[in-house]
Amino acid sequence: MLSSLPNGSRPVVLDVQDLRVHYATPRGDVIAVNGISFQVYQGETVGLVGESGCGKTTTAMAILRLVQPPGRIIGGRVLIEGTDLVPLTEKQLREMRWNKLALIPQGAMNSLNPVMRIKDQIGDAITTHEGKQPRDVLKGRILELLNQVGLPARVYNMYPHELSGGMKQRVCVAMAIALNPPLIIADEPTSALDVVVQRVVAQTLLDVKQRLGVSMILIGHDMGLQAQLVDRIIVMYAGNIVEIAPVREAFKNPLHPYTQLLIASIPSIKERKPLKVTEGLTHDLRNPPPGCVFQFRCPYAREICRSLRPQLKAYGVEHFTACHIYENPMLYENSAPIATATRPATPGALYASDLMKEVDPHAGAAA
Ligand code: SF4
């Protein structure tokens, strides 16, 4: 369904179908990713947004088959250019990673080996997958990669500690594009950088995308950065996709109440206004309630939202959301309003961000 609109005429690079990821805890399975489906098209950048614990980093790790125990993929398919990664062996996966999809992880600049020169780190990424090559050919490729991410040739011989944070981050971008993969996943690529350097790294990603035509998934919670970099936004809440829209449309006409709150919470330097906060808490992730996943925090929740789960449906060109306001307008209007933050008190319940930090090694400050 999601590919049946205009973007559907472009080749699909990534096709995620009904992906489910659970984390085992002593208190029961946490449903971290709850049957999500989406596509990424050739040459487009998709933003995966939501607050801590919403499942966006877990989704990225599942796409790369890097979910660590106690997490596990319990269902779904992840097709990269038609090949499903879920049933592949570790050896087959190693061949796919870097070649077909590359990761720029959270805090990527800290993943560089401090005792290896940049030329050796990028060279290793190339020769591990392509085998040994003549020294001058390899050097030429590495210098070209540095040039593509806006780094001077002298970086070739340097160690990571001789580079600034932004330069190290661009080295990680160079490594990600070394084998020309059709898809790059960048997890919070500008976190821990100051605002000026953030812009440089963001511009590098834009340049790479435009020059190489690579597809990207950009994970983040900085809606301002997403607005600058992505073509479409996917909004996740408690392991579910609640809205997908072209980025301009998402900011101009957000449909889902959660997306509206995310956008309203962006601080403005032009206008002094109180920051909007999304009140209430998510549900116990081991026991999703019947009905809408956002019901306990939604300012527009009605009785129907407690009993009937809204489905992700199209309400415009490439614009999808899961909300009864649009799916069942008559039923919604005739249903009694309910107060927000009326989640039933459940002794010992586990909630989103604190729980995700407990079980998800990837759930850092912005997972
Ligand atoms: Fe809010 Fe109901 Fe829409 Fe969920 S379905 S987002 S609770 S109005």
Side-chain angles (χ1 to χ4, degrees), residues 47-233:
L48 209 51
V49 301
E51 62 202 340
S52 292
C54 72
K56 54 191 190 293
T57 293
T58 299
T59 298
M61 291 302 142
I63 290 169
L64 288 143
R65 282 274 311 275
L66 288 173
V67 174
Q68 303 295 320
R72 65 197 189 286
I73 296 174
I74 65 150
R77 306 176 80 204
V78 176
L79 297 140
I80 297 277
E81 295 187 327
T83 303
D84 187 3
L85 300 189
V86 174
L88 295 189
T89 63
E90 262 310 313
K91 183 171 178 294
Q92 290 169 321
L93 276 171
R94 274 197 298 276
E95 281 159 19
M96 297 289 282
R97 293 191 196 119
W98 295 92
N99 268 317
K100 292 288 182 189
L101 70 171
L103 173 69
I104 303 171
Q106 256 182 55
M109 57 191 177
N110 300 321
S111 66
L112 294 173
N113 186 332
V115 296
M116 279 176 79
R117 291 181 195 272
I118 299 305
K119 64 177 179 183
D120 297 323
Q121 307 206 37
I122 301 178
D124 269 8
I126 296 172
T127 53
T128 301
H129 286 83
E130 295 184 357
K132 289 230 174 297
Q133 14 199 300
R135 190 182 294 184
D136 55 337
V137 172
L138 189 60
K139 181 175 180 180
R141 282 183 66 179
I142 296 167
L143 287 173
E144 175 55 25
L145 285 166
L146 293 175
N147 181 45
Q148 282 184 350
V149 297
L151 287 171
R154 63 186 158 83
V155 170
Y156 178 84
N157 270 317
M158 293 169 88
Y159 287 97
H161 73 269
E162 297 176 282
L163 307 177
S164 68
M167 291 169 92
K168 282 190 271 191
Q169 196 69 333
R170 281 185 280 166
V171 168
C172 295
V173 177
M175 290 171 75
I177 60 174
L179 300 183
N180 217 3
L183 178 70
I184 293 175
I185 300 177
D187 191 358
E188 303 274 358
T190 61
S191 63
L193 299 173
D194 67 49
V195 177
V196 176
V197 181
Q198 275 185 10
R199 285 197 69 85
V200 175
V201 173
Q203 188 59 48
T204 303
L205 289 169
L206 263 181
D207 291 347
V208 161
K209 174 194 159 187
Q210 278 159 7
R211 201 165 328 121
L212 304 180
V214 66
S215 306
M216 281 192 201
I217 296 178
L218 190 67
I219 296 169
H221 61 282
D222 181 339
M223 295 294 279
L225 191 73
Q226 294 278 337
Q228 291 172 44
L229 290 182
V230 310
D231 302 306
R232 279 191 305 145
I233 268 192

Side-chain angles (χ1 to χ4, degrees), residues 256-257 292 294-295 298 300-302 305 310 322-325 332:
H256 198 279
C292 175
F294 193 52
Q295 60 182 281
C298 180
Y300 310 113
R302 304 267 176 125
C305 308
C323 175
H324 287 309
I325 293 172
Y332 176 84

Side-chain angles (χ1 to χ4, degrees), residues 281-286 296 343-357:
L281 293 166
T282 46
H283 54 266
D284 181 343
L285 288 174
R286 294 166 308 167
F296 298 121
R343 181 181 60 204
T346 314
L350 296 169
Y351 300 117
S353 49
D354 50 344
L355 178 67
M356 294 308 295
K357 281 171 193 152

